[in-house]
Amino acid sequence: MPRFFIQAKPEAGMLSIEGEDACHIARVLRMKPGDSVTLCDSAGMDYGCVVEEASPELVRCRVLEETVSAGEPDTEVTLYMALPKADKFEFIVQKAVELGVSRVVPFLSARCVSRPDEKSLRRKAGRWRKIAEEAAKQCGRGRVPEVADAVPFREAVAQASQAKTALFFYECERETPLRGAIGGRRLTTVSLMVGPEGGFALEEAGQAQAGGLTSVSLGKRILRCETAPLAALAVVMYESGNL
Ligand code: SAH
């Protein structure tokens, strides 16, 4: 069933859709009165609706049932991802949303090859947010995960350390496997911090540990910077019963 995000609660059992989505429903999907659609309030509630009126400017729907969105995980995971080259970040955002990430925060670290200027970052951020929204719609999330503005490495460490479980994925880590760090723990809020193509500098690993993050390994193979966050996220979702 088609699914759309709205920013409103029902009024007298009705919900309205305007703008791009209305146009999509009326023109592209050619939905007519009597057709079914699911509207999600972006805050974790789904409304099963029937279309009563459909024009490209305005679609009005009657709410038939109200349910908690089944697509939202009960573990809140924020991915702190060093900005990679080219369009890899788009791929990461899309897949992380599918896997259940709550928030993605890009950061710049010592070995980031990609260093876009302010203007280009702003343009990219708009695109990343659109990708997050599309992915959330497609996979049945109950809200659209936030893609934050890019922050410097230190700020990313400071934010990441606020989570109950804060993990720093370090390719040179030999002592602590991911399993050892999270196995058997209740995972409520989790931060995952992953480096760029060139990896983390030794000083950065020191700063992350001093900042309260646990340095962990994803095994003996070096994963690409787009593989590592997705593998980590899948493991956390599995371990917390959300996969
Ligand atoms: N160029 C580096 C690898 C960078 S991989 C090298 O050859 O050593 C990019 C990022 O993915 C790393 O900074 C880390 O955050 C994560 N990563 C990849 N493989 C990992 C592993 N085996 N254990 C922990 N983190 C890993």
mmCIF file with all atom_site columns, all heavy atoms in Angstrom, residues 111-122:
data_model
loop_
_atom_site.group_PDB
_atom_site.id
_atom_site.type_symbol
_atom_site.label_atom_id
_atom_site.label_alt_id
_atom_site.label_comp_id
_atom_site.label_asym_id
_atom_site.label_entity_id
_atom_site.label_seq_id
_atom_site.pdbx_PDB_ins_code
_atom_site.Cartn_x
_atom_site.Cartn_y
_atom_site.Cartn_z
_atom_site.occupancy
_atom_site.B_iso_or_equiv
_atom_site.pdbx_formal_charge
_atom_site.auth_seq_id
_atom_site.auth_comp_id
_atom_site.auth_asym_id
_atom_site.auth_atom_id
_atom_site.pdbx_PDB_model_num
ATOM 1  N N   . ARG A 1 111 ? 41.969 12.157 8.029  1.00 0.00 ? 111 ARG A N   1
ATOM 2  C CA  . ARG A 1 111 ? 42.250 11.495 6.749  1.00 0.00 ? 111 ARG A CA  1
ATOM 3  C C   . ARG A 1 111 ? 41.085 11.511 5.763  1.00 0.00 ? 111 ARG A C   1
ATOM 4  O O   . ARG A 1 111 ? 41.058 10.701 4.833  1.00 0.00 ? 111 ARG A O   1
ATOM 5  C CB  . ARG A 1 111 ? 42.695 10.067 7.002  1.00 0.00 ? 111 ARG A CB  1
ATOM 6  C CG  . ARG A 1 111 ? 43.998 10.000 7.785  1.00 0.00 ? 111 ARG A CG  1
ATOM 7  C CD  . ARG A 1 111 ? 44.535 8.597  7.786  1.00 0.00 ? 111 ARG A CD  1
ATOM 8  N NE  . ARG A 1 111 ? 45.663 8.471  8.680  1.00 0.00 ? 111 ARG A NE  1
ATOM 9  C CZ  . ARG A 1 111 ? 45.973 7.344  9.300  1.00 0.00 ? 111 ARG A CZ  1
ATOM 10 N NH1 . ARG A 1 111 ? 45.242 6.261  9.133  1.00 0.00 ? 111 ARG A NH1 1
ATOM 11 N NH2 . ARG A 1 111 ? 47.039 7.291  10.093 1.00 0.00 ? 111 ARG A NH2 1
ATOM 12 N N   . CYS A 1 112 ? 40.137 12.438 5.974  1.00 0.00 ? 112 CYS A N   1
ATOM 13 C CA  . CYS A 1 112 ? 39.045 12.563 4.994  1.00 0.00 ? 112 CYS A CA  1
ATOM 14 C C   . CYS A 1 112 ? 39.615 13.148 3.711  1.00 0.00 ? 112 CYS A C   1
ATOM 15 O O   . CYS A 1 112 ? 40.276 14.195 3.743  1.00 0.00 ? 112 CYS A O   1
ATOM 16 C CB  . CYS A 1 112 ? 37.955 13.505 5.504  1.00 0.00 ? 112 CYS A CB  1
ATOM 17 S SG  . CYS A 1 112 ? 36.805 12.731 6.635  1.00 0.00 ? 112 CYS A SG  1
ATOM 18 N N   . VAL A 1 113 ? 39.374 12.493 2.600  1.00 0.00 ? 113 VAL A N   1
ATOM 19 C CA  . VAL A 1 113 ? 39.856 13.003 1.312  1.00 0.00 ? 113 VAL A CA  1
ATOM 20 C C   . VAL A 1 113 ? 38.863 14.054 0.817  1.00 0.00 ? 113 VAL A C   1
ATOM 21 O O   . VAL A 1 113 ? 39.245 15.077 0.257  1.00 0.00 ? 113 VAL A O   1
ATOM 22 C CB  . VAL A 1 113 ? 39.960 11.841 0.293  1.00 0.00 ? 113 VAL A CB  1
ATOM 23 C CG1 . VAL A 1 113 ? 40.440 12.347 -1.048 1.00 0.00 ? 113 VAL A CG1 1
ATOM 24 C CG2 . VAL A 1 113 ? 40.885 10.758 0.826  1.00 0.00 ? 113 VAL A CG2 1
ATOM 25 N N   . SER A 1 114 ? 37.590 13.767 1.058  1.00 0.00 ? 114 SER A N   1
ATOM 26 C CA  . SER A 1 114 ? 36.551 14.684 0.616  1.00 0.00 ? 114 SER A CA  1
ATOM 27 C C   . SER A 1 114 ? 36.423 15.831 1.622  1.00 0.00 ? 114 SER A C   1
ATOM 28 O O   . SER A 1 114 ? 36.181 15.607 2.804  1.00 0.00 ? 114 SER A O   1
ATOM 29 C CB  . SER A 1 114 ? 35.242 13.897 0.528  1.00 0.00 ? 114 SER A CB  1
ATOM 30 O OG  . SER A 1 114 ? 34.158 14.764 0.446  1.00 0.00 ? 114 SER A OG  1
ATOM 31 N N   . ARG A 1 115 ? 36.607 17.081 1.162  1.00 0.00 ? 115 ARG A N   1
ATOM 32 C CA  . ARG A 1 115 ? 36.476 18.248 2.046  1.00 0.00 ? 115 ARG A CA  1
ATOM 33 C C   . ARG A 1 115 ? 35.654 19.320 1.356  1.00 0.00 ? 115 ARG A C   1
ATOM 34 O O   . ARG A 1 115 ? 36.179 20.358 0.938  1.00 0.00 ? 115 ARG A O   1
ATOM 35 C CB  . ARG A 1 115 ? 37.846 18.796 2.422  1.00 0.00 ? 115 ARG A CB  1
ATOM 36 C CG  . ARG A 1 115 ? 38.609 17.827 3.273  1.00 0.00 ? 115 ARG A CG  1
ATOM 37 C CD  . ARG A 1 115 ? 39.790 18.432 3.983  1.00 0.00 ? 115 ARG A CD  1
ATOM 38 N NE  . ARG A 1 115 ? 40.313 17.448 4.907  1.00 0.00 ? 115 ARG A NE  1
ATOM 39 C CZ  . ARG A 1 115 ? 39.916 17.313 6.158  1.00 0.00 ? 115 ARG A CZ  1
ATOM 40 N NH1 . ARG A 1 115 ? 39.025 18.115 6.661  1.00 0.00 ? 115 ARG A NH1 1
ATOM 41 N NH2 . ARG A 1 115 ? 40.418 16.367 6.921  1.00 0.00 ? 115 ARG A NH2 1
ATOM 42 N N   . PRO A 1 116 ? 34.366 19.078 1.195  1.00 0.00 ? 116 PRO A N   1
ATOM 43 C CA  . PRO A 1 116 ? 33.540 20.054 0.488  1.00 0.00 ? 116 PRO A CA  1
ATOM 44 C C   . PRO A 1 116 ? 33.450 21.383 1.238  1.00 0.00 ? 116 PRO A C   1
ATOM 45 O O   . PRO A 1 116 ? 33.565 21.393 2.466  1.00 0.00 ? 116 PRO A O   1
ATOM 46 C CB  . PRO A 1 116 ? 32.164 19.378 0.424  1.00 0.00 ? 116 PRO A CB  1
ATOM 47 C CG  . PRO A 1 116 ? 32.211 18.225 1.343  1.00 0.00 ? 116 PRO A CG  1
ATOM 48 C CD  . PRO A 1 116 ? 33.619 17.944 1.714  1.00 0.00 ? 116 PRO A CD  1
ATOM 49 N N   . ASP A 1 117 ? 33.287 22.487 0.465  1.00 0.00 ? 117 ASP A N   1
ATOM 50 C CA  . ASP A 1 117 ? 33.123 23.782 1.135  1.00 0.00 ? 117 ASP A CA  1
ATOM 51 C C   . ASP A 1 117 ? 31.697 23.898 1.670  1.00 0.00 ? 117 ASP A C   1
ATOM 52 O O   . ASP A 1 117 ? 30.846 23.053 1.379  1.00 0.00 ? 117 ASP A O   1
ATOM 53 C CB  . ASP A 1 117 ? 33.474 24.945 0.187  1.00 0.00 ? 117 ASP A CB  1
ATOM 54 C CG  . ASP A 1 117 ? 32.619 24.928 -1.063 1.00 0.00 ? 117 ASP A CG  1
ATOM 55 O OD1 . ASP A 1 117 ? 31.499 24.386 -1.009 1.00 0.00 ? 117 ASP A OD1 1
ATOM 56 O OD2 . ASP A 1 117 ? 33.070 25.447 -2.103 1.00 0.00 ? 117 ASP A OD2 1
ATOM 57 N N   . GLU A 1 118 ? 31.460 24.967 2.422  1.00 0.00 ? 118 GLU A N   1
ATOM 58 C CA  . GLU A 1 118 ? 30.151 25.192 3.083  1.00 0.00 ? 118 GLU A CA  1
ATOM 59 C C   . GLU A 1 118 ? 28.970 25.052 2.124  1.00 0.00 ? 118 GLU A C   1
ATOM 60 O O   . GLU A 1 118 ? 27.983 24.389 2.431  1.00 0.00 ? 118 GLU A O   1
ATOM 61 C CB  . GLU A 1 118 ? 30.118 26.611 3.656  1.00 0.00 ? 118 GLU A CB  1
ATOM 62 C CG  . GLU A 1 118 ? 30.934 26.777 4.922  1.00 0.00 ? 118 GLU A CG  1
ATOM 63 C CD  . GLU A 1 118 ? 30.172 26.305 6.143  1.00 0.00 ? 118 GLU A CD  1
ATOM 64 O OE1 . GLU A 1 118 ? 28.974 26.598 6.213  1.00 0.00 ? 118 GLU A OE1 1
ATOM 65 O OE2 . GLU A 1 118 ? 30.784 25.620 6.999  1.00 0.00 ? 118 GLU A OE2 1
ATOM 66 N N   . LYS A 1 119 ? 29.138 25.708 0.939  1.00 0.00 ? 119 LYS A N   1
ATOM 67 C CA  . LYS A 1 119 ? 28.019 25.763 0.013  1.00 0.00 ? 119 LYS A CA  1
ATOM 68 C C   . LYS A 1 119 ? 27.702 24.362 -0.512 1.00 0.00 ? 119 LYS A C   1
ATOM 69 O O   . LYS A 1 119 ? 26.553 23.933 -0.547 1.00 0.00 ? 119 LYS A O   1
ATOM 70 C CB  . LYS A 1 119 ? 28.398 26.701 -1.149 1.00 0.00 ? 119 LYS A CB  1
ATOM 71 C CG  . LYS A 1 119 ? 27.212 27.178 -1.918 1.00 0.00 ? 119 LYS A CG  1
ATOM 72 C CD  . LYS A 1 119 ? 27.583 28.296 -2.866 1.00 0.00 ? 119 LYS A CD  1
ATOM 73 C CE  . LYS A 1 119 ? 26.774 28.131 -4.131 1.00 0.00 ? 119 LYS A CE  1
ATOM 74 N NZ  . LYS A 1 119 ? 27.513 28.491 -5.336 1.00 0.00 ? 119 LYS A NZ  1
ATOM 75 N N   . SER A 1 120 ? 28.759 23.659 -0.872 1.00 0.00 ? 120 SER A N   1
ATOM 76 C CA  . SER A 1 120 ? 28.549 22.326 -1.420 1.00 0.00 ? 120 SER A CA  1
ATOM 77 C C   . SER A 1 120 ? 28.021 21.376 -0.336 1.00 0.00 ? 120 SER A C   1
ATOM 78 O O   . SER A 1 120 ? 27.209 20.490 -0.607 1.00 0.00 ? 120 SER A O   1
ATOM 79 C CB  . SER A 1 120 ? 29.860 21.869 -2.050 1.00 0.00 ? 120 SER A CB  1
ATOM 80 O OG  . SER A 1 120 ? 30.128 20.560 -1.798 1.00 0.00 ? 120 SER A OG  1
ATOM 81 N N   . LEU A 1 121 ? 28.464 21.596 0.916  1.00 0.00 ? 121 LEU A N   1
ATOM 82 C CA  . LEU A 1 121 ? 27.951 20.773 2.026  1.00 0.00 ? 121 LEU A CA  1
ATOM 83 C C   . LEU A 1 121 ? 26.456 20.980 2.213  1.00 0.00 ? 121 LEU A C   1
ATOM 84 O O   . LEU A 1 121 ? 25.713 20.039 2.454  1.00 0.00 ? 121 LEU A O   1
ATOM 85 C CB  . LEU A 1 121 ? 28.662 21.141 3.324  1.00 0.00 ? 121 LEU A CB  1
ATOM 86 C CG  . LEU A 1 121 ? 29.787 20.218 3.772  1.00 0.00 ? 121 LEU A CG  1
ATOM 87 C CD1 . LEU A 1 121 ? 30.387 20.711 5.070  1.00 0.00 ? 121 LEU A CD1 1
ATOM 88 C CD2 . LEU A 1 121 ? 29.333 18.770 3.924  1.00 0.00 ? 121 LEU A CD2 1
ATOM 89 N N   . ARG A 1 122 ? 26.035 22.247 2.080  1.00 0.00 ? 122 ARG A N   1
ATOM 90 C CA  . ARG A 1 122 ? 24.620 22.554 2.253  1.00 0.00 ? 122 ARG A CA  1
ATOM 91 C C   . ARG A 1 122 ? 23.782 21.870 1.169  1.00 0.00 ? 122 ARG A C   1
ATOM 92 O O   . ARG A 1 122 ? 22.733 21.308 1.427  1.00 0.00 ? 122 ARG A O   1
ATOM 93 C CB  . ARG A 1 122 ? 24.387 24.075 2.219  1.00 0.00 ? 122 ARG A CB  1
ATOM 94 C CG  . ARG A 1 122 ? 23.574 24.532 3.429  1.00 0.00 ? 122 ARG A CG  1
ATOM 95 C CD  . ARG A 1 122 ? 23.466 26.025 3.519  1.00 0.00 ? 122 ARG A CD  1
ATOM 96 N NE  . ARG A 1 122 ? 24.766 26.661 3.644  1.00 0.00 ? 122 ARG A NE  1
ATOM 97 C CZ  . ARG A 1 122 ? 25.189 27.693 2.910  1.00 0.00 ? 122 ARG A CZ  1
ATOM 98 N NH1 . ARG A 1 122 ? 24.434 28.216 2.004  1.00 0.00 ? 122 ARG A NH1 1
ATOM 99 N NH2 . ARG A 1 122 ? 26.380 28.213 3.102  1.00 0.00 ? 122 ARG A NH2 1
#
